[in-house]
């Protein structure tokens, strides 16, 4: 019987750790939401295979930056961030094939151009509308710094 007790103790500790991890994820999400609204945002880290390389996460607008946090991480620091002045919306499309299974339901794939190359993000259509508004709402005097803009043009 001592062996069975040790197994049950180990299972109990494992379940307690899983429960604690879940609680910490909820607390982290609430903490991140306090500093501005968060929304579901996936990031494509690898583009070597079609439809693969997506990482689930959440996004947050923080001034002039879009911050991206991994969904299952306990870190309160963003894993990636993009400056609004260096991010240009290039278009969107529906998720297809394996992508549709990898992403949140009803999310669209958004393509953006940056100074370092193309970035693919996935978000809901409502979040896409907010994303486009955020990109267009640059402060006065900052036009001409995006990759596709010509300096001094209106």
């Amino acid at each position: 019987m001592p062996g069975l007790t040790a197994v049950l103790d180990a299972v109990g500790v494992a379940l307690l750790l899983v429960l604690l991890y879940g609680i910490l994820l909820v607390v982290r999400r609430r903490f991140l939401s306090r500093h501005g609204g968060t929304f579901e945002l996936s990031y494509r880290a690898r583009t070597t295979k079609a439809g693969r390389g997506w990482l689930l996460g959440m996004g947050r607008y923080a001034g002039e930056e879009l911050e991206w946090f991994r969904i299952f991480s306990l870190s309160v620091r963003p894993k990636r961030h993009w400056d609004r002045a260096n991010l240009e919306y290039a278009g969107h499309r529906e998720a297809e094939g394996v992508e549709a299974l990898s992403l949140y339901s009803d999310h669209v794939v958004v393509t953006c151009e940056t100074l370092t190359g193309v970035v693919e993000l996935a978000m809901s259509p409502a979040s896409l509308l907010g994303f486009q508004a955020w990109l267009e709402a640059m402060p006065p005097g900052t036009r001409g710094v995006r990759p596709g803009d010509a300096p001094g043009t209106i």
Side-chain angles (χ1 to χ4, degrees), residues 31-62:
F31 176 78
L32 293 175
S33 296
R34 284 184 358 169
H35 302 291
T38 57
F39 60 101
E40 293 173 342
L41 177 70
S42 297
Y43 163 65
R44 189 167 185 192
R46 294 178 303 278
T47 58
T48 53
K49 292 185 179 180
R52 301 246 170 113
W54 287 100
L55 300 173
L56 298 179
M58 58 185 162
R60 178 178 73 182
Y61 301 111

Tab-separated table of all heavy atoms in Angstrom, residues 31-62:
chain	number	residue	atom	x	y	z
A	31	PHE	N	-4.047	41.022	-15.493
A	31	PHE	CA	-3.019	42.038	-15.267
A	31	PHE	C	-2.685	42.758	-16.574
A	31	PHE	O	-2.576	43.983	-16.606
A	31	PHE	CB	-1.761	41.383	-14.684
A	31	PHE	CG	-0.615	42.344	-14.520
A	31	PHE	CD1	-0.587	43.236	-13.466
A	31	PHE	CD2	0.434	42.353	-15.430
A	31	PHE	CE1	0.456	44.132	-13.313
A	31	PHE	CE2	1.483	43.240	-15.289
A	31	PHE	CZ	1.499	44.137	-14.230
A	32	LEU	N	-2.513	42.022	-17.660
A	32	LEU	CA	-2.194	42.637	-18.945
A	32	LEU	C	-3.344	43.491	-19.467
A	32	LEU	O	-3.117	44.520	-20.103
A	32	LEU	CB	-1.828	41.562	-19.976
A	32	LEU	CG	-0.539	40.799	-19.711
A	32	LEU	CD1	-0.365	39.677	-20.732
A	32	LEU	CD2	0.662	41.722	-19.736
A	33	SER	N	-4.562	43.092	-19.189
A	33	SER	CA	-5.734	43.842	-19.652
A	33	SER	C	-5.896	45.164	-18.916
A	33	SER	O	-6.516	46.089	-19.440
A	33	SER	CB	-7.000	43.009	-19.471
A	33	SER	OG	-6.947	41.865	-20.273
A	34	ARG	N	-5.345	45.272	-17.729
A	34	ARG	CA	-5.447	46.522	-16.964
A	34	ARG	C	-4.771	47.673	-17.674
A	34	ARG	O	-5.168	48.814	-17.529
A	34	ARG	CB	-4.789	46.371	-15.594
A	34	ARG	CG	-5.579	45.608	-14.603
A	34	ARG	CD	-4.897	45.605	-13.276
A	34	ARG	NE	-3.615	46.298	-13.288
A	34	ARG	CZ	-2.910	46.618	-12.239
A	34	ARG	NH1	-3.351	46.317	-11.064
A	34	ARG	NH2	-1.751	47.223	-12.347
A	35	HIS	N	-3.718	47.413	-18.408
A	35	HIS	CA	-2.942	48.460	-19.057
A	35	HIS	C	-3.395	48.697	-20.501
A	35	HIS	O	-2.635	49.180	-21.310
A	35	HIS	CB	-1.457	48.098	-19.032
A	35	HIS	CG	-0.932	47.888	-17.651
A	35	HIS	ND1	-0.791	48.908	-16.750
A	35	HIS	CD2	-0.554	46.773	-17.002
A	35	HIS	CE1	-0.336	48.430	-15.608
A	35	HIS	NE2	-0.185	47.130	-15.735
A	36	GLY	N	-4.594	48.382	-20.800
A	36	GLY	CA	-5.132	48.539	-22.145
A	36	GLY	C	-5.774	47.237	-22.576
A	36	GLY	O	-5.385	46.170	-22.122
A	37	GLY	N	-6.765	47.344	-23.422
A	37	GLY	CA	-7.492	46.161	-23.854
A	37	GLY	C	-6.615	45.186	-24.617
A	37	GLY	O	-5.764	45.571	-25.401
A	38	THR	N	-6.827	43.930	-24.364
A	38	THR	CA	-6.105	42.896	-25.094
A	38	THR	C	-7.078	42.221	-26.056
A	38	THR	O	-8.298	42.277	-25.871
A	38	THR	CB	-5.519	41.841	-24.140
A	38	THR	OG1	-6.563	41.270	-23.370
A	38	THR	CG2	-4.462	42.446	-23.237
A	39	PHE	N	-6.546	41.611	-27.073
A	39	PHE	CA	-7.368	40.899	-28.040
A	39	PHE	C	-6.600	39.683	-28.527
A	39	PHE	O	-5.382	39.624	-28.421
A	39	PHE	CB	-7.765	41.814	-29.211
A	39	PHE	CG	-6.601	42.374	-29.983
A	39	PHE	CD1	-6.227	41.811	-31.201
A	39	PHE	CD2	-5.874	43.451	-29.512
A	39	PHE	CE1	-5.153	42.301	-31.920
A	39	PHE	CE2	-4.797	43.960	-30.223
A	39	PHE	CZ	-4.438	43.386	-31.430
A	40	GLU	N	-7.327	38.703	-29.049
A	40	GLU	CA	-6.696	37.479	-29.539
A	40	GLU	C	-5.912	37.806	-30.803
A	40	GLU	O	-6.451	38.356	-31.763
A	40	GLU	CB	-7.749	36.419	-29.823
A	40	GLU	CG	-8.444	35.932	-28.578
A	40	GLU	CD	-9.595	35.004	-28.880
A	40	GLU	OE1	-10.088	34.984	-30.023
A	40	GLU	OE2	-10.015	34.291	-27.953
A	41	LEU	N	-4.628	37.479	-30.791
A	41	LEU	CA	-3.735	37.788	-31.902
A	41	LEU	C	-2.723	36.662	-32.028
A	41	LEU	O	-1.988	36.386	-31.089
A	41	LEU	CB	-3.012	39.121	-31.646
A	41	LEU	CG	-1.987	39.555	-32.680
A	41	LEU	CD1	-2.673	39.951	-33.980
A	41	LEU	CD2	-1.165	40.721	-32.156
A	42	SER	N	-2.705	36.027	-33.178
A	42	SER	CA	-1.728	34.973	-33.434
A	42	SER	C	-0.637	35.515	-34.334
A	42	SER	O	-0.867	36.414	-35.142
A	42	SER	CB	-2.402	33.768	-34.090
A	42	SER	OG	-3.359	33.219	-33.229
A	43	TYR	N	0.557	34.969	-34.193
A	43	TYR	CA	1.731	35.418	-34.939
A	43	TYR	C	2.344	34.223	-35.645
A	43	TYR	O	2.503	33.162	-35.042
A	43	TYR	CB	2.722	36.062	-33.968
A	43	TYR	CG	4.121	36.210	-34.486
A	43	TYR	CD1	4.404	37.042	-35.550
A	43	TYR	CD2	5.179	35.511	-33.904
A	43	TYR	CE1	5.695	37.177	-36.025
A	43	TYR	CE2	6.467	35.640	-34.366
A	43	TYR	CZ	6.717	36.479	-35.429
A	43	TYR	OH	7.993	36.611	-35.901
A	44	ARG	N	2.685	34.404	-36.904
A	44	ARG	CA	3.324	33.324	-37.649
A	44	ARG	C	4.835	33.478	-37.539
A	44	ARG	O	5.439	34.360	-38.147
A	44	ARG	CB	2.891	33.344	-39.110
A	44	ARG	CG	3.358	32.116	-39.845
A	44	ARG	CD	2.667	31.994	-41.164
A	44	ARG	NE	3.039	30.753	-41.804
A	44	ARG	CZ	2.770	30.478	-43.048
A	44	ARG	NH1	2.096	31.338	-43.787
A	44	ARG	NH2	3.150	29.342	-43.565
A	45	ALA	N	5.444	32.603	-36.757
A	45	ALA	CA	6.878	32.687	-36.484
A	45	ALA	C	7.710	32.042	-37.581
A	45	ALA	O	8.812	32.500	-37.874
A	45	ALA	CB	7.192	32.020	-35.147
A	46	ARG	N	7.180	30.969	-38.173
A	46	ARG	CA	7.925	30.254	-39.215
A	46	ARG	C	7.075	30.174	-40.476
A	46	ARG	O	5.910	29.793	-40.413
A	46	ARG	CB	8.284	28.846	-38.748
A	46	ARG	CG	9.249	28.824	-37.592
A	46	ARG	CD	9.555	27.401	-37.128
A	46	ARG	NE	8.378	26.639	-36.747
A	46	ARG	CZ	7.769	26.709	-35.568
A	46	ARG	NH1	8.238	27.527	-34.654
A	46	ARG	NH2	6.714	25.955	-35.295
A	47	THR	N	7.664	30.476	-41.605
A	47	THR	CA	6.932	30.444	-42.871
A	47	THR	C	7.494	29.406	-43.828
A	47	THR	O	7.207	29.448	-45.015
A	47	THR	CB	6.965	31.828	-43.540
A	47	THR	OG1	8.325	32.208	-43.746
A	47	THR	CG2	6.273	32.872	-42.692
A	48	THR	N	8.293	28.469	-43.330
A	48	THR	CA	8.929	27.490	-44.210
A	48	THR	C	7.932	26.495	-44.794
A	48	THR	O	8.093	26.067	-45.927
A	48	THR	CB	10.034	26.720	-43.465
A	48	THR	OG1	9.488	26.166	-42.270
A	48	THR	CG2	11.199	27.629	-43.136
A	49	LYS	N	6.893	26.131	-44.041
A	49	LYS	CA	5.875	25.198	-44.530
A	49	LYS	C	4.540	25.923	-44.604
A	49	LYS	O	4.159	26.640	-43.680
A	49	LYS	CB	5.743	23.986	-43.606
A	49	LYS	CG	6.944	23.079	-43.621
A	49	LYS	CD	6.690	21.853	-42.777
A	49	LYS	CE	7.907	20.940	-42.812
A	49	LYS	NZ	7.700	19.739	-42.000
A	50	ALA	N	3.827	25.724	-45.694
A	50	ALA	CA	2.543	26.392	-45.897
A	50	ALA	C	1.562	26.051	-44.781
A	50	ALA	O	1.372	24.888	-44.442
A	50	ALA	CB	1.956	25.980	-47.246
A	51	GLY	N	0.954	27.082	-44.191
A	51	GLY	CA	-0.056	26.887	-43.154
A	51	GLY	C	0.472	26.558	-41.783
A	51	GLY	O	-0.305	26.404	-40.847
A	52	ARG	N	1.757	26.443	-41.608
A	52	ARG	CA	2.339	26.058	-40.311
A	52	ARG	C	3.103	27.230	-39.705
A	52	ARG	O	3.355	28.228	-40.342
A	52	ARG	CB	3.279	24.876	-40.512
A	52	ARG	CG	2.594	23.666	-41.098
A	52	ARG	CD	2.566	22.543	-40.105
A	52	ARG	NE	1.716	21.468	-40.562
A	52	ARG	CZ	2.141	20.284	-40.893
A	52	ARG	NH1	3.429	20.005	-40.842
A	52	ARG	NH2	1.283	19.356	-41.254
A	53	GLY	N	3.505	27.063	-38.452
A	53	GLY	CA	4.334	28.063	-37.784
A	53	GLY	C	3.568	29.084	-36.976
A	53	GLY	O	4.135	30.074	-36.526
A	54	TRP	N	2.276	28.865	-36.754
A	54	TRP	CA	1.468	29.830	-36.016
A	54	TRP	C	1.599	29.634	-34.509
A	54	TRP	O	1.599	28.515	-34.014
A	54	TRP	CB	0.001	29.704	-36.413
A	54	TRP	CG	-0.279	30.232	-37.778
A	54	TRP	CD1	-0.411	29.512	-38.917
A	54	TRP	CD2	-0.428	31.603	-38.139
A	54	TRP	NE1	-0.645	30.349	-39.970
A	54	TRP	CE2	-0.665	31.645	-39.530
A	54	TRP	CE3	-0.390	32.802	-37.442
A	54	TRP	CZ2	-0.861	32.825	-40.227
A	54	TRP	CZ3	-0.590	33.978	-38.133
A	54	TRP	CH2	-0.817	33.988	-39.501
A	55	LEU	N	1.690	30.753	-33.798
A	55	LEU	CA	1.733	30.749	-32.336
A	55	LEU	C	0.538	31.549	-31.827
A	55	LEU	O	0.348	32.702	-32.207
A	55	LEU	CB	3.023	31.389	-31.827
A	55	LEU	CG	4.328	30.719	-32.272
A	55	LEU	CD1	5.519	31.557	-31.838
A	55	LEU	CD2	4.420	29.320	-31.705
A	56	LEU	N	-0.274	30.922	-30.982
A	56	LEU	CA	-1.434	31.610	-30.424
A	56	LEU	C	-0.973	32.631	-29.398
A	56	LEU	O	-0.002	32.418	-28.679
A	56	LEU	CB	-2.379	30.607	-29.767
A	56	LEU	CG	-2.985	29.547	-30.674
A	56	LEU	CD1	-3.867	28.614	-29.859
A	56	LEU	CD2	-3.773	30.171	-31.795
A	57	GLY	N	-1.688	33.733	-29.332
A	57	GLY	CA	-1.317	34.750	-28.372
A	57	GLY	C	-2.387	35.807	-28.228
A	57	GLY	O	-3.523	35.641	-28.665
A	58	MET	N	-1.973	36.891	-27.617
A	58	MET	CA	-2.858	38.038	-27.480
A	58	MET	C	-2.058	39.299	-27.747
A	58	MET	O	-0.842	39.353	-27.528
A	58	MET	CB	-3.517	38.067	-26.109
A	58	MET	CG	-2.599	38.101	-24.951
A	58	MET	SD	-3.574	37.974	-23.441
A	58	MET	CE	-2.291	37.498	-22.330
A	59	GLY	N	-2.739	40.289	-28.259
A	59	GLY	CA	-2.100	41.546	-28.584
A	59	GLY	C	-2.601	42.651	-27.686
A	59	GLY	O	-3.673	42.557	-27.076
A	60	ARG	N	-1.797	43.710	-27.619
A	60	ARG	CA	-2.171	44.884	-26.836
A	60	ARG	C	-1.514	46.101	-27.474
A	60	ARG	O	-0.346	46.056	-27.845
A	60	ARG	CB	-1.707	44.726	-25.389
A	60	ARG	CG	-2.011	45.934	-24.531
A	60	ARG	CD	-1.600	45.736	-23.104
A	60	ARG	NE	-0.148	45.782	-22.978
A	60	ARG	CZ	0.503	45.603	-21.843
A	60	ARG	NH1	-0.153	45.310	-20.750
A	60	ARG	NH2	1.807	45.669	-21.802
A	61	TYR	N	-2.277	47.155	-27.628
A	61	TYR	CA	-1.726	48.413	-28.119
A	61	TYR	C	-1.148	49.171	-26.933
A	61	TYR	O	-1.831	49.405	-25.947
A	61	TYR	CB	-2.796	49.263	-28.800
A	61	TYR	CG	-3.436	48.563	-29.970
A	61	TYR	CD1	-4.752	48.143	-29.928
A	61	TYR	CD2	-2.708	48.320	-31.130
A	61	TYR	CE1	-5.333	47.493	-31.002
A	61	TYR	CE2	-3.278	47.665	-32.209
A	61	TYR	CZ	-4.592	47.269	-32.132
A	61	TYR	OH	-5.163	46.626	-33.190
A	62	ALA	N	0.122	49.535	-27.038
A	62	ALA	CA	0.793	50.272	-25.973
A	62	ALA	C	1.450	51.497	-26.602
A	62	ALA	O	2.593	51.439	-27.048
A	62	ALA	CB	1.821	49.401	-25.274
